[in-house]
Every structure is written in C-alpha cells, then in structure tokens.
Amino acid sequence: QKEVEQNSGPLSVPEGAIASLNCTYSDRVSQSFFWYRQYSGKSPELIMSIYSNGDKEDGRFTAQLNKASQYVSLLIRDSQPSDSATYLCAVNRITGANSKLTFGKGITLSVRP
Amino acid sequence: KAGVTQTPRYLIKTRGQQVTLSCSPISGHRSVSWYQQTPGQGLQFLFEYFSETQRNKGNFPGRFSGRQFSNSRSEMNVSTLELGDSALYLCASSEFSNSPLHFGNGTRLTVT
C-alpha cells in the first residue's frame, strides 16, 4: 500500500460546482496533514493545513480529517477556472526529532467555464 | 518576509558531471527539506536538515547529498549525473517539525 494515495484523476467540474478531492494514508501515527496547490510550471503552494479530526474551513476551501479511517479530503466550493491546478495531499509523521512529509502523486482539477 | 530562494532556476548538465543546488530558507526557519519532482514519480523526499544536521533521508542513492550551514542555507549535490536525474528539485523550509513546508521556485535540472 502506498503511503499517501489520492483518487485517480483528472477531475473535471463545471464552474460554480463543488470539487471533492480525496486522500488516504497508511501510517496511523501521522500527525499533520496539508493540501498544496500546484499550477503548471510552478512550485507547490500551501492552501490548507489540518491537525485534528473534523472540518476546517477557509474561504471556499474545507479540509476534512478522519484519523480513524485514515482519510483526509479537500472540498472546493463555487469552483472557479482559476482553481484549475494539481492538488497535492501531504502527510507528516514525526518520530522524536525527525519529521517526514510524504506527498501523494496529486490530482489534476479542471474547472470548465 | 522573503520566501524560499533557490538558485539557479535552470541547469543543463551532461551525464557523469556533478551539480550543486542552493537554497536560502525563509528567515527564522531552521528546517530545510529537499524534494525531487518528476511527472512519473511525483514529489519524492530527498532529505531534511535542521541546525546543520541531517535528520531524515529518503530512498535515494549516495550520489545525492546535502548539507546545511550555520545560517540555515542549504546545498544539495548530485554526483555522476544520470539521465534519470532530470527533474525539478524543490527546496522547502519550515519553522518547526509539525509546521507546513514553504517551497521555493525550484531548480529545473536537465541531464543530456
């Protein structure tokens, strides 16, 4: 099983719709979870971080974490063409003084005008 | 604050050569991580440095090495370059172990 898996894409939604991006992870002791957005030819940009079970909302973005199911998701409400990008799920595991952030392979979102 | 700065932005090397990439973290960030990004493998963790010490290392051959200086700036070196080393190399810094990473613009390495 891969450490961090994202549902296969690409994902295409119409403008104004809700885009749902999912991610599962294998390491139960993972402690922090992040979503990054990467536009073509650019570096990843942090859009959400979540550390405890439940939902966290920031503008049109909502991150959801369920540690029992080892599942983290990102909802994008009122999707805009400017949201078209690759979204990367990242999971952090801390062991003592060491931390290791593992990324999923990403899912490409396309928002159709 | 200035963001993470990576130099150079682009590099073209031939097989067998070596290359050194540089990264300056965000001021105050003591942790620096390096990642390799390719279309097929995605973002692969290379190593993490904190206070000049390598704290963690990914599954890359010994040709890949790095170091961190007392001012938190970091360099990574790849020796005996192979065609498969062609990739985007990303440096990221964070304030604490559990903090999110902030990425630089990357160095695009092409090996011919």
Side-chain angles (χ1 to χ4, degrees):
Chain A
Q1 183 184 6
K2 294 178 183 174
E3 291 183 68
V4 180
E5 283 200 75
Q6 296 185 239
N7 51 335
S8 59
L11 176 65
S12 180
V13 300
E15 184 174 355
I18 295 174
S20 176
L21 312 176
N22 303 317
C23 175
T24 57
Y25 58 95
S26 60
D27 192 340
R28 286 193 168 275
V29 299
S30 298
Q31 292 152 308
S32 48
F33 308 84
F34 308 97
W35 282 98
Y36 286 82
R37 176 177 61 198
Q38 187 173 23
Y39 291 113
S40 180
K42 301 293 186 181
S43 60
E45 170 195 13
L46 177 72
I47 53 172
M48 289 289 284
S49 58
I50 187 165
Y51 300 91
S52 54
N53 281 330
D55 295 359
K56 179 181 177 183
E57 188 174 314
D58 183 1
R60 296 185 296 111
F61 298 97
T62 299
Q64 299 173 316
L65 175 62
N66 183 325
K67 289 188 177 181
S69 300
Q70 295 173 241
Y71 175 94
V72 58
S73 66
L74 180 71
L75 299 178
I76 306 175
R77 291 182 301 281
D78 188 25
S79 295
Q80 301 297 308
S82 59
D83 295 327
S84 298
T86 296
Y87 289 81
L88 300 162
C89 170
V91 174
N92 197 13
R93 183 179 194 271
I94 298 176
T95 308
N98 296 332
S99 69
K100 181 183 173 186
L101 190 64
T102 303
F103 286 82
K105 288 200 171 182
I107 181 168
T108 300
L109 171 67
S110 175
V111 181
R112 308 187 301 272
Chain B
K1 283 183 180 179
V4 178
T5 305
Q6 289 187 248
T7 56
R9 289 295 308 278
Y10 302 93
L11 268 176
I12 300 175
K13 293 285 187 178
T14 56
R15 279 179 298 175
Q17 288 186 312
Q18 75 164 18
V19 65
T20 299
L21 312 182
S22 181
C23 172
S24 293
I26 292 172
S27 178
H29 286 193
R30 294 164 65 190
S31 172
V32 173
S33 298
W34 288 89
Y35 286 83
Q36 180 196 66
Q37 188 174 37
T38 58
Q41 296 300 317
L43 271 165
Q44 300 284 305
F45 173 75
L46 280 156
F47 23 66
E48 186 222 356
Y49 287 88
F50 184 90
S51 294
E52 302 178 67
T53 300
Q54 185 181 89
R55 290 202 301 192
N56 215 338
K57 189 176 189 304
N59 295 325
F60 279 82
R63 301 185 296 107
F64 291 81
S65 63
R67 59 178 178 169
Q68 187 181 32
F69 302 97
S70 58
N71 62 357
S72 294
R73 192 177 68 84
S74 178
E75 289 181 347
M76 70 162 280
N77 184 277
V78 188
S79 62
T80 319
L81 284 166
E82 301 177 359
L83 294 179
D85 297 334
S86 295
L88 178 66
Y89 289 87
L90 290 160
C91 170
S93 72
S94 65
E95 197 170 2
F96 307 111
S97 292
N98 212 25
S99 304
L101 296 181
H102 299 271
F103 285 88
N105 289 327
T107 294
R108 173 76 61 185
L109 172 65
T110 302
V111 182
T112 62

